[in-house]
Amino acid sequence: MDLARWIAAGLLAVVALTGGVSKVFVPREKLAAARGGEWTADARTGFVKSLGGLELLAALGLVLPAATGIAPVLVPVTAVCWVLLMVGAMITHVRHGSAGFAVLNLGYLTVAAFVAWAGFAA
């Protein structure tokens, strides 16, 4: 179970890192032109960058606390926050006609729920 939790948390951390880097460092106009990023056309640049910053923090929070042994309870707490973020992402993608991305977010939500459940149960 511990190995499965590490793998799931690592997968989510890579997803969060990738999303965070793109939102923080790629111009909003370029994101809006990309498939799945259409929603950024309706969002303010500061909001998109803030969301990216939160994703970067999530990437750290999913791995570092358990890896260092410092406050490992932050891993499942971060996973719960990721679940909430994915609910918002699913709503946003459905509103913008990207149901496929909403399904992808549902997959990430499921993995995050597993990480949270396994972390709190440990």
Side-chain angles (χ1 to χ4, degrees):
M1 177 75 98
D2 201 37
L3 178 61
R5 184 173 39 142
W6 267 102
I7 291 170
L11 169 71
L12 286 178
V14 169
V15 169
L17 182 65
T18 303
V21 166
S22 68
K23 287 178 187 76
V24 170
F25 297 109
V26 175
R28 185 179 57 85
E29 295 76 21
K30 191 170 182 178
L31 287 175
R35 187 168 167 257
E38 298 88 0
W39 66 271
T40 60
D42 299 331
R44 292 185 176 179
T45 301
F47 174 74
V48 175
K49 296 211 179 290
S50 296
L51 196 56
L54 289 174
E55 288 179 297
L56 292 174
L57 289 174
L60 295 174
L62 286 164
V63 176
L64 282 183
T68 62
I70 300 171
V73 72
L74 290 178
V75 174
V77 169
T78 302
V80 168
C81 293
W82 189 259
V83 165
L84 298 173
L85 184 68
M86 289 301 101
V87 169
M90 289 167 51
I91 292 168
T92 300
H93 282 298
V94 167
R95 284 184 177 170
H96 284 84
S98 302
F101 283 98
V103 172
L104 180 63
N105 293 136
L106 179 61
Y108 296 147
L109 182 149
T110 304
V111 174
F114 167 75
V115 171
W117 170 77
F120 286 129

